[in-house]
Amino acid sequence: MTNEERRLRAKIPGADTGIQVKRSICDICSPGMHCGLSCYVKDGQVIKIEGTDGHPQNDGKLCTKGLANRQYLYRKDRIMTPLRRVGERGEGKFEPISWDEAYAEITEKLNAAKAQYGPESVAFYSGYSKWYRPMLRRFAYSFGSPNYGSESSSCYTAAFMAWKTAAGDQGAADMANCDLFLGWAYNPFYSNYMGAKRAMEAKARGVKFLIVDTRYTPAAEKLADVFLQPRSGTDGALAHAIANVLISRGQIDKEFIANYVYGFEEYAEYVKGFHAGNIEELTGVPYADVVKAADLIASSERMSSYESSAPIPHHKNGFQNYRAIISLLAITGNFDRPGCQSPVVHTYIHVECGFPLHEEEFQYGTKPQDAPVPVGGDRFPLWNHLEGEMQAMDLPRQIETGEPYPVKAVFALGMNARMWPDDGRMFAALQKLDFFVDTDLFLTDTAKYADIVLPACTSMERGEFKPYPGGVAIYTNPVIPPLGEAKSDVDILCDLANRLDLDDGLLKAGYEACVQNIIRDLDVTTAELKQADLPIKVAEVERFEPLEHVKKGLRTPTGRFELKSAIIEAHPEWGLDALPTYTPPLDAADERKYPFTFTSGSRIPHAIHSRLHGCPNNRSLRPDPTADMSVEDCAALGLKERDRIVISTERGEVRVFVHPTPAMPQGLVNLYHGYSEADANSILDSDHLDPYSGFPAYRSTRCGVRKDDAV
Ligand SMILES: Nc1nc2c(c(=O)[nH]1)N[C@H]1C(S)=C(S)[C@@H](COP(=O)(O)OP(=O)(O)OC[C@H]3O[C@@H](n4cnc5c(=O)[nH]c(N)nc54)[C@H](O)[C@@H]3O)O[C@H]1N2
Ligand SMILES: Nc1nc2c(c(=O)[nH]1)N[C@H]1C(S)=C(S)[C@@H](COP(=O)(O)OP(=O)(O)OC[C@H]3O[C@@H](n4cnc5c(=O)[nH]c(N)nc54)[C@H](O)[C@@H]3O)O[C@H]1N2
Ligand SMILES: [Mo]
C-alpha cells in the first residue's frame, strides 16, 4: 500500500462507506494555476474536496477560492437545462427547452445572420474561462467570422503585446536563479498563493526584492528590500527615472546593448526627461527612493522580474508603461540569461510548459483569408497587427453604429458584460442584437439578456486536457456526471459544428480528437493520459544556452530587443510612438470636482471577478462592497469605518461602505470589482482606452467622494 492509500484509508471511515476519492482540477482561476483537486464522492455527490497530494501544481494545498469548489458546483443558481427567453431582455424570464430545440434555433439564427449580413456579423466571445478557447476560436473561423475575441481584451494581452514589440516573444521570470526580483505591481499573496510561497522561499534563500505598488501590500511588508509607491498609472515615468540614473552612472550592460539592443541612443536621450527635478511631482516617489532602486539593480548580477499584466496595462498609458518597465531588463543585460528574463516555449492556452504543441496550427488552421478587419481592428491598429482578433472593448460601439459593418449576433461562452467599462453601454448594445446566445453555469445578469442560454458544467463534471510546466500533462475524467442536462462547453461546440455542418472534420469529430491532433507529437495519446491519476511526463523541457535567442536573432523586425519599436516606426499612420513614451494616465474630468483617483480591481484572496460572490462561505468573508481609502483622507472627510460613501465620476455614482486603512496612499480610492450591487465598472468611461492595446483604464479615473447622506 502506498502512503497516499494508507492516508486515505485513515481518513475515510472504511471501504464500506462507499466513498470514492476521484481527481479533477480546479478551474476557478487562471490556467497558470489549475490546482489538483481531490473530490470525495458518495452516491454521485461530491461531499468534500481537498488539494491533491503529489500534484505538481499545488501538492495538497488549495486557496480560499479552490476550497469553494463544492459550493460552486452546487450553487443554487446553476442552470440545469437549455433555456429560451420568453420575457424582455434582462428580465430573467425563460422557458426550459431541449438541447435539440436549442441547437435547431441557434443553427437557424446564426445561418440567417450569415446569409443576410455575412459571417463577420456573428461575433464569438469568451469570458474569463480559457480551457475551451482553442476550440471556440477555431469554431468562429470555421464559421467564416474573423470575430473571435475574449476577456483577454482586458487582461494579459497588452503585456504580451509589449513583450512581442520589444522581444518578439514573452519573457518569463527565472526566480529560482535570480539574486534580485523586481516585483512591479506584484501581490501574489492575494492573486497567486503558490507564487507567494515561491517568493517567500526565494526570500529565505537571500534573494532581494524590489517591490513597486500603489498600496502597501503583504508583498511590500514581507518581501521588499526597497519599496516604491508611485501614484496609480505613473509607472512608466518611474521606470524611466530609474533608467536615467543607471545610464548616467554607466551602470548598464554596454556589450549587451551594442550587440543585441535596438534604439538605445534615442531611448537614453528620452529618459533624460525623468530626473531629480520632476520625478516626485510626476509619480509621488521621492528621488532618493529612485536612486535606492537603481542602486539595488546595479548591485545585483541577475535580475528577474514580474510586472503584472493586469494593473500595469489597466490604464490609458498602460502598454507604454509596461514597455518602460521591461526596458530596464534590456539596458542591464538581464535578458536571455539564467536568473534573468528568459524566453520559454509556449505550450497551450497561455501557459509556458517548456515544450511545443500544435495549438497554433489548430487554432488558426481555418482562419478565413478574405474576411474584413475584426471588431476594433481599425481603432486599435497595433492590437490588430499583433493579435489579429477582435478587441472586444470596441464591441459595444460597433453593435451600436454598425460601422464599419454590422454585428448582429453574439455567440458567447461565459460572457460577463459587467467586465466592460461603462457596462451600461454594453448591456444596451446587447439589447440591440438580433440574436444572443450565452453559455454559463449560472443565470447571470448577462445571461438574462440572451435569447438562448445553454447550461455549461464545471471542471468536476467534464474531462479536459491540461499540461503543466516541467513537461507533464493530464487528461481529467469527470468525477460526477453533469448536473441536470448541463454539458461541457467543448461538446456544445462540437455538436453545433455538426448541426451547422461546418467544413471542419476535426471539430465535428469531437474534443478528444481535437486534443489528439494538438498533442500528436507527444509520446502519449489522450487515452493514455486519461488513465493517469496525476500529471505524467509527456515531453522533455527545452533548455537554452545563455544568450542563445539574442545571438540567433529575436522575432522582432531588427532581430534585437527593441527599445524603439520598428513595427510602430514602420507605421506612422497609426499615430503611435515607437519609443516607450510616457503620458499621464488620468482623464480630462474637472480636478476640483473629482480630486481623487479611482482604482478598481485589486484582487481579494477569496473571490474572483463575478464568480464566488454567489458562494455563501466566500461571500461571508467580505459580504459588502467596501472602498479602501487612506486614514488621512477619511479624517479630512470626517469618515470612519463602515460609514457609507458615494463615489462619483463623470459617468455616475456608486454607494459603498468605506474602510480607512494605512495601506492606502492619500488621493486614491480602491474599490474591488465583482459586486453587482455596487458595480465599479458602471462609473468608468468606455472610451478611456489605451490607444496601443485598447485596454480599459480600470485603475485611473478621476473621482469625487462624499459621505452618503441617504443613510
Ligand atoms: N474594474 C475592473 N474590471 C475588471 C478587472 C479589474 O481589475 N478591474 N479585471 C479584468 C480582468 S484582468 C479580467 S480577467 C476580467 C474577468 O473577466 P470576466 O469574464 O468578468 O470573469 P468572470 O466573471 O470570472 O467569468 C465570466 C463568466 O464565465 C462563467 N464561467 C465560469 N466557468 C465557465 C465555464 O467553464 N464555461 C462557461 N461557459 N462559463 C463559465 C462564470 O460563471 C461567469 O459568469 O475582468 C476584467 N474587469
Ligand atoms: N484571489 C484572486 N486571485 C486572482 C484573481 C482574482 O480575482 N482573485 N484574478 C486573476 C486574474 S484574472 C488576474 S489578471 C490576476 C491579476 O493579478 P495581480 O496583478 O497580481 O492582481 P492585482 O491585485 O490586481 O494587482 C497587483 C498589485 O498591483 C497594484 N497596483 C494597482 N494599480 C497599480 C499601478 O498603477 N501601479 C502599480 N505599480 N501597482 C498597481 C495593486 O495595489 C496590487 O497590489 O490575478 C488572478 N488571480
Ligand atoms: Mo485577468
Side-chain angles (χ1 to χ4, degrees):
M1 208 188 306
T2 65
N3 273 347
E4 169 71 358
E5 282 163 350
R6 216 171 276 127
R7 220 170 63 82
L8 283 177
R9 285 250 172 131
K11 276 188 184 178
I12 302 170
D16 55 338
T17 58
I19 298 170
Q20 276 184 297
V21 181
K22 297 185 173 184
R23 284 173 178 166
S24 183
I25 54 178
C26 169
D27 181 48
I28 289 182
C29 88
S30 324
M33 301 288 285
H34 286 187
C35 296
L37 196 65
S38 294
C39 303
Y40 287 63
V41 180
K42 184 173 166 140
D43 301 332
Q45 295 266 324
V46 176
I47 56 169
K48 172 187 160 151
I49 50 118
E50 60 187 20
T52 304
D53 285 318
H55 193 281
Q57 180 59 31
N58 57 321
D59 190 18
K61 292 165 205 64
L62 276 183
C63 74
T64 17
K65 305 187 300 304
L67 286 165
N69 264 288
R70 204 181 63 84
Q71 279 197 352
Y72 186 70
L73 167 67
Y74 294 119
R75 250 174 74 169
K76 293 273 177 293
D77 53 346
R78 278 290 301 270
I79 310 166
M80 294 296 179
T81 65
L83 300 171
R84 178 191 286 128
R85 185 168 56 82
V86 291
E88 294 300 309
R89 283 211 163 121
E91 200 183 347
K93 286 197 186 143
F94 290 91
E95 62 179 9
I97 53 171
S98 68
W99 277 103
D100 201 47
E101 287 171 285
Y103 285 154
E105 187 161 337
I106 294 169
T107 303
E108 184 203 318
K109 295 283 173 43
L110 296 190
N111 277 335
K114 188 192 238 179
Q116 196 174 349
Y117 302 103
E120 66 276 12
S121 70
V122 183
F124 295 83
Y125 176 84
S126 164
Y128 180 72
S129 274
K130 299 184 175 67
W131 74 279
Y132 48 63
R133 285 198 189 170
M135 304 284 291
L136 180 65
R137 185 193 281 267
R138 187 177 169 103
F139 187 97
Y141 293 162
S142 293
F143 182 81
S145 175
N147 286 317
Y148 162 81
S150 72
E151 138 286 357
S152 297
S153 293
S154 72
C155 177
Y156 172 68
T157 315
F160 191 28
M161 285 172 65
W163 273 108
K164 281 189 197 165
T165 305
D169 284 293
Q170 169 87 54
D174 181 8
M175 189 187 260
N177 299 300
C178 70
D179 51 27
L180 171 63
F181 194 79
L182 173 56
W184 206 300
Y186 178 67
N187 190 20
F189 295 90
Y190 290 180
S191 63
N192 178 343
Y193 76 113
M194 291 306 289
K197 181 169 178 284
R198 285 190 292 276
M200 290 300 279
E201 287 162 2
K203 178 87 185 160
R205 283 198 309 274
V207 172
K208 297 264 193 295
F209 282 82
L210 169 55
I211 300 290
V212 187
D213 203 297
T214 46
R215 304 176 303 156
Y216 188 73
T217 59
E221 185 182 309
K222 292 181 201 302
L223 299 173
D225 293 281
V226 172
F227 172 56
L228 304 180
Q229 196 171 7
R231 282 198 303 274
S232 206
T234 63
D235 303 278
L238 183 58
H240 288 333
I242 296 173
N244 190 16
V245 174
L246 293 168
I247 294 168
S248 62
R249 290 173 173 177
Q251 290 167 329
I252 50 175
D253 189 332
K254 293 191 180 120
E255 201 185 322
F256 185 87
I257 293 169
N259 289 323
Y260 310 122
V261 172
Y262 173 72
F264 177 74
E265 295 306 325
E266 278 169 76
Y267 164 83
E269 198 51 41
Y270 179 73
V271 300
K272 281 184 187 160
F274 303 84
H275 48 69
N278 64 5
I279 203 63
E280 187 160 359
E281 191 193 328
L282 285 172
T283 66
V285 178
Y287 185 67
D289 285 356
V290 174
V291 174
K292 268 193 221 157
D295 286 344
L296 191 56
I297 293 174
S299 63
S300 305
E301 233 161 72
R302 294 181 304 273
M303 173 170 77
S304 200
S305 78
Y306 173 92
E307 52 294 317
S308 176
S309 56
I312 298 168
H314 284 170
H315 300 281
K316 192 171 183 171
N317 60 5
F319 171 83
Q320 292 288 75
N321 286 350
Y322 200 98
R323 284 180 68 203
I325 298 165
I326 61 177
S327 297
L328 294 172
L329 296 161
I331 62 169
T332 51
N334 283 300
F335 184 75
D336 203 12
R337 287 185 169 130
C340 305
Q341 223 65 4
S342 307
V344 271
V345 179
H346 171 84
T347 303
Y348 189 60
I349 313 187
H350 292 313
V351 185
E352 272 86 24
C353 304
F355 60 94
L357 291 175
H358 294 282
E359 183 195 37
E360 183 141 330
E361 176 195 323
F362 175 81
Q363 297 199 96
Y364 295 97
T366 60
K367 192 168 182 184
Q369 293 310 312
D370 46 2
V373 70
V375 170
D378 289 334
R379 190 170 170 197
F380 303 106
L382 180 65
W383 164 281
N384 190 42
H385 180 88
L386 292 172
E387 300 306 320
E389 67 184 50
M390 151 167 98
Q391 193 358 315
M393 292 303 124
D394 200 40
L395 191 57
R397 186 206 56 78
Q398 189 155 341
I399 294 172
E400 275 164 23
T401 64
E403 295 297 332
Y405 56 82
V407 171
K408 293 288 185 182
V410 170
F411 179 91
L413 301 181
M415 178 185 276
N416 175 13
R418 291 197 189 278
M419 193 204 83
W420 271 259
D422 189 5
D423 44 17
R425 184 177 180 193
M426 183 59 192
F427 280 112
L430 293 177
Q431 286 276 16
K432 276 200 72 176
L433 290 173
D434 285 354
F435 189 57
F436 173 33
V437 184
D438 194 20
T439 303
D440 206 301
L441 309 171
F442 314 109
L443 193 58
T444 62
D445 293 342
T446 308
K448 287 178 185 160
Y449 279 70
D451 298 286
I452 301 282
V453 181
L454 301 176
C457 65
T458 66
S459 58
M460 290 161 276
E461 301 152 272
R462 67 184 184 229
E464 71 191 89
F465 170 68
K466 174 74 197 172
Y468 291 92
V472 296
I474 195 164
Y475 192 126
T476 60
N477 294 294
V479 303
I480 54 164
L483 301 191
E485 291 176 31
K487 273 185 201 253
S488 162
D489 298 274
V490 290
D491 292 342
I492 296 173
L493 291 172
C494 294
D495 287 352
L496 275 171
N498 281 296
R499 286 300 195 105
L500 285 156
D501 196 19
L502 300 183
D503 182 16
D504 187 337
L506 204 46
L507 273 189
K508 285 172 163 173
Y511 174 64
E512 191 172 342
C514 294
V515 171
Q516 185 56 52
N517 178 280
I518 293 169
I519 70 167
R520 63 182 183 269
D521 288 344
L522 298 183
D523 292 336
V524 292
T525 60
T526 52
E528 285 160 342
L529 285 171
K530 280 179 162 180
Q531 300 296 317
D533 227 15
L534 281 172
I536 53 170
K537 187 90 182 163
V538 295
E540 289 308 318
V541 171
E542 288 186 21
R543 307 220 176 268
F544 302 107
E545 293 300 312
L547 302 179
E548 184 178 325
H549 296 86
V550 282
K551 280 183 182 156
K552 216 165 51 197
L554 298 175
R555 293 204 295 171
T556 53
T558 61
R560 293 174 166 231
F561 193 113
E562 296 188 0
L563 296 175
K564 183 171 130 194
S565 165
I567 295 175
I568 299 177
E569 227 177 356
H571 291 278
E573 75 281 8
W574 291 348
L576 303 174
D577 291 340
L579 285 173
T581 48
Y582 175 73
T583 47
L586 289 168
D587 50 306
D590 183 349
E591 212 181 323
R592 282 158 306 173
K593 201 164 164 204
Y594 302 107
F596 293 92
T597 299
F598 180 65
T599 180
S600 61
S602 291
R603 281 17 180 178
I604 31 180
H606 59 276
I608 180 158
H609 310 304
S610 68
R611 300 229 196 145
L612 294 175
H613 294 278
C615 293
N617 285 0
N618 292 55
R619 182 74 188 214
S620 71
L621 293 170
R622 200 173 179 286
D624 301 313
T626 304
D628 298 332
M629 290 180 68
S630 77
V631 175
E632 298 81 2
D633 287 336
C634 287
L637 293 169
L639 298 170
K640 53 184 192 320
E641 187 73 43
R642 275 190 82 77
D643 275 350
R644 301 274 302 177
I645 57 168
V646 182
I647 306 173
S648 58
T649 67
E650 283 199 322
R651 279 287 127 218
E653 297 184 341
V654 284
R655 300 178 132 76
V656 294
F657 293 96
V658 71
H659 171 52
T661 163
M664 288 292 290
Q666 276 176 259
L668 192 64
V669 179
N670 178 45
L671 183 62
Y672 299 96
H673 69 303
Y675 289 86
S676 49
E677 69 275 38
D679 178 350
N681 289 354
S682 68
I683 61 169
L684 300 181
D685 184 336
S686 57
D687 288 322
H688 191 38
L689 304 175
D690 183 337
Y692 291 78
S693 66
F695 268 42
Y698 296 125
R699 316 251 186 168
S700 44
T701 291
R702 288 188 199 277
C703 75
V705 176
R706 63 173 197 274
K707 200 165 178 172
D708 189 354
D709 298 323
V711 286

